């Protein structure tokens, strides 16, 4: 049975909601050759947004090619060069003969091997001599630009989980190397994004880092409540089930407009609904989801120090001044210097975020509910 809501994978077609402005912004950057860095907390729909903008480019520009590279399991420079070259070659090639010919013409140092996936789609796998690549990676870093020039293409390379370069042996030297190539390229555009917001902020917003001012810096916000209400109602209606606008707003509000959790809570509520939604169904679904994740949340909380747990308690309790003497005493936070250390540690763990006005936000809305109701017992 097809469900009307999607979470944990790319949202496409009818499952993609709002983001018209962001899609247009990214689409225009792709067409104009403007490098883009996309930053937001985890599960806010970055990958779906990039895919939507990439599809829009492909449908409107015949000479454009889009490469999607996921660095989730890439931990070394060797893996990166291999994935980049294979991704580019597969994106610009049609038939198997063309794919092999392109590899042979543009990568003269390496041995191309053609493999077939189970669905009979050709893919290319490169035999790389890492000791040689390490000495001279220029050919791979220049590969998309050289192909683009030769074939009058515009190539867009979208790299997810870019923060994984921190696992490389010398990440700073690697950043300097690829920045020196990418900033000179006129026919290849890069879109860099990932799930570790604080790490990407360090890479792209620090004046001392190679990728400082690399291109357009886009900060992704949550989808507003008004869009969620309309989206949830429409998706329920498409399956013959009813939900009021007020109930749709209740689902989105419980999930604090967090894209992943709005879709999950909406779907689980939809499963429980025969014909028409009730408030009781939404409340029961929220409690069920919270308890379902309780083991994960308990493990997360047990990995924190006492000061970090106390800090979260202060945030949950909406303490106005976290560094004040009264708050420090009430929540056993030791000193104002310790409050600062604890806050930075929790930001590093992607548990909290600090807004521009200094407001602290717990990033996972269901974890926040679990802490408040089941852990601290407020």
């Amino acid at each position: 049975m097809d469900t009307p809501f999607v979470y944990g994978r790319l949202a496409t077609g009818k499952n993609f909601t709002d983001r018209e402005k962001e899609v247009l912004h990214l689409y225009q950057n792709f067409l104009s050759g403007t490098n883009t860095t996309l930053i937001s907390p985890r599960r806010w729909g970055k990958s779906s947004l990039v895919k939507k903008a990439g599809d829009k480019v492909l449908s409107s520009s015949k000479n454009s090619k889009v490469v999607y590279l996921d660095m989730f399991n890439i931990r070394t420079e060797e893996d990166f060069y291999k994935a980049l070259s294979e991704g580019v070659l597969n994106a610009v090639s049609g038939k198997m003969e063309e794919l092999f010919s392109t590899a042979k013409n543009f990568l003269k140092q390496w041995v191309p091997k053609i493999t077939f996936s189970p669905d009979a789609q050709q893919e290319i796998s490169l035999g790389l001599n890492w000791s040689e690549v390490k000495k001279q990676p220029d050919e791979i870093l220049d590969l998309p630009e050289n192909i683009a020039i030769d074939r009058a293409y515009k190539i867009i390379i979208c790299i997810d989980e870019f923060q994984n370069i921190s696992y490389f042996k010398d990440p700073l030297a690697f950043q300097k190397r690829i920045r020196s190539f990418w900033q000179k390229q006129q026919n290849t555009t890069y879109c860099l994004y990932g799930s570790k917001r604080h790490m990407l902020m360090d890479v792209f917003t620090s004046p001392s880092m190679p990728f400082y001012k690399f291109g357009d810096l886009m900060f992704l916000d949550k989808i507003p409540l008004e869009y969620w209400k309309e989206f949830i109602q429409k998706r329920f209606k498409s399956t013959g089930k009813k939900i009021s606008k007020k109930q749709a707003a209740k689902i989105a509000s419980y999930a604090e407009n967090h894209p992943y959790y709005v879709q999950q809570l909406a779907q689980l509520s939809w499963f429980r609904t025969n014909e028409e939604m009730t408030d009781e169904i939404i409340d029961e679904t929220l409690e069920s989801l919270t308890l379902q994740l309780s083991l994960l949340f308990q493990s997360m909380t047990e990995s924190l120090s006492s000061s970090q747990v106390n800090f979260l308690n202060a945030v949950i309790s909406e303490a106005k001044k976290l560094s004040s003497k009264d708050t420090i005493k009430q929540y056993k936070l030791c000193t104002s210097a310790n409050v600062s250390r604890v806050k930075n540690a929790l930001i590093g763990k992607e548990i909290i975020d600090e807004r521009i006005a200094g407001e602290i936000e717990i990033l996972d809305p269901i974890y926040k509910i679990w802490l408040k109701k089941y852990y601290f017992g407020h």
Side-chain angles (χ1 to χ4, degrees), residues 225-235 245 248:
L225 180 62
E226 285 304 313
Y227 288 97
W228 280 125
K229 288 192 289 186
E230 182 180 346
F231 173 76
I232 293 171
Q233 269 199 307
K234 187 181 296 184
R235 300 304 287 143
K245 187 166 288 189

Side-chain angles (χ1 to χ4, degrees), residues 266-300:
Q267 177 166 300
L268 294 176
S269 298
W270 177 84
F271 276 132
R272 289 169 176 252
T273 303
N274 291 322
E275 294 181 2
E276 189 168 351
M277 176 63 68
T278 65
D279 289 350
E280 289 74 21
I281 288 176
I282 297 173
D283 291 337
E284 290 168 4
T285 303
L286 176 65
E287 183 173 12
S288 176
L289 175 60
T290 306
L291 292 174
Q292 176 187 328
L293 296 172
S294 62
L295 191 59
L296 170 64
F297 293 153
Q298 184 176 338
S299 178
M300 283 173 53

Side-chain angles (χ1 to χ4, degrees), residues 108 110 142 147 211 265 366:
K108 297 179 175 63
W110 322 120
D142 276 332
I147 293 176
F211 272 89
L265 189 56
I366 308 302

Side-chain angles (χ1 to χ4, degrees), residues 100-156:
F100 187 81
S101 174
T102 303
K104 193 173 181 180
N105 291 338
F106 289 95
L107 289 177
K108 297 179 175 63
Q109 297 183 57
W110 322 120
V111 182
K113 298 176 183 176
I114 300 294
T115 61
F116 291 90
S117 60
D119 59 359
Q121 295 293 316
Q122 73 266 11
E123 294 179 352
I124 192 163
S125 175
L126 296 177
L128 300 182
N129 183 329
W130 174 232
S131 62
E132 294 301 319
V133 175
K134 188 164 53 175
K135 295 176 188 175
Q136 196 65 261
D138 302 24
E139 194 173 72
I140 290 178
L141 291 173
D142 276 332
L143 176 66
E145 184 70 3
N146 289 337
I147 293 176
I149 293 171
D150 182 74
R151 300 186 180 180
Y153 284 159
K154 292 293 183 182
I155 295 179
I156 300 150

Side-chain angles (χ1 to χ4, degrees), residues 317-376:
S317 303
E318 299 181 0
K320 297 195 179 294
K321 295 182 179 179
L322 294 170
S323 296
S324 70
K325 289 182 178 179
D326 289 342
T327 300
I328 289 172
K329 181 179 180 181
Q330 181 178 352
Y331 294 98
K332 300 178 182 178
L333 295 172
C334 300
T335 64
S336 58
N338 185 56
V339 170
S340 181
R341 283 193 296 269
V342 167
K343 180 186 70 177
N344 291 332
L346 290 171
I347 290 174
K349 291 174 181 288
E350 304 281 328
I351 292 176
I352 66 170
D353 192 21
E354 185 173 23
R355 294 302 193 183
I356 295 175
E359 181 184 350
I360 301 297
E361 176 186 26
I362 295 176
L363 289 172
D364 188 320
I366 308 302
Y367 182 46
K368 180 179 177 181
I369 290 170
W370 180 84
L371 283 173
K372 188 171 185 177
K373 183 174 181 180
Y374 296 100
Y375 192 80
F376 296 123

Side-chain angles (χ1 to χ4, degrees), residues 157-292:
I157 298 180
C158 305
I159 304 180
D160 198 358
E161 304 296 359
F162 187 73
Q163 75 280 341
N164 279 7
I165 58 174
S166 63
Y167 294 111
F168 294 1
K169 189 174 181 180
D170 190 344
L172 188 59
F174 176 75
Q175 289 178 53
K176 289 178 179 177
R177 181 182 300 118
I178 60 176
R179 170 69 190 259
S180 68
F181 279 85
W182 291 357
Q183 68 184 358
K184 298 173 187 175
Q185 296 176 357
Q186 300 298 311
N187 302 280
T188 307
T189 304
Y190 295 87
C191 178
L192 310 175
Y193 52 108
S195 60
K196 299 290 186 181
R197 182 178 182 273
H198 72 287
M199 294 174 71
L200 289 173
M201 290 285 286
D202 290 341
V203 170
F204 292 103
T205 64
S206 174
S208 63
M209 298 299 283
F211 272 89
Y212 180 63
K213 291 189 175 179
F214 176 65
D216 185 22
L217 199 58
M218 285 181 64
F219 291 94
L220 199 61
D221 288 324
K222 291 179 181 177
I223 296 173
L225 180 62
E226 285 304 313
Y227 288 97
W228 280 125
K229 288 192 289 186
E230 182 180 346
F231 173 76
I232 293 171
Q233 269 199 307
K234 187 181 296 184
R235 300 304 287 143
F236 264 77
K237 186 177 180 180
S238 71
T239 63
K241 297 183 181 183
K242 295 181 181 179
I243 184 172
S244 70
K245 187 166 288 189
K246 187 176 180 180
Q247 290 166 338
K250 187 174 185 177
I251 289 175
S253 296
Y254 274 156
E256 295 185 358
N257 296 348
H258 188 295
Y260 179 93
Y261 280 122
V262 172
Q263 295 261 19
Q264 185 176 25
L265 189 56
Q267 177 166 300
L268 294 176
S269 298
W270 177 84
F271 276 132
R272 289 169 176 252
T273 303
N274 291 322
E275 294 181 2
E276 189 168 351
M277 176 63 68
T278 65
D279 289 350
E280 289 74 21
I281 288 176
I282 297 173
D283 291 337
E284 290 168 4
T285 303
L286 176 65
E287 183 173 12
S288 176
L289 175 60
T290 306
L291 292 174
Q292 176 187 328

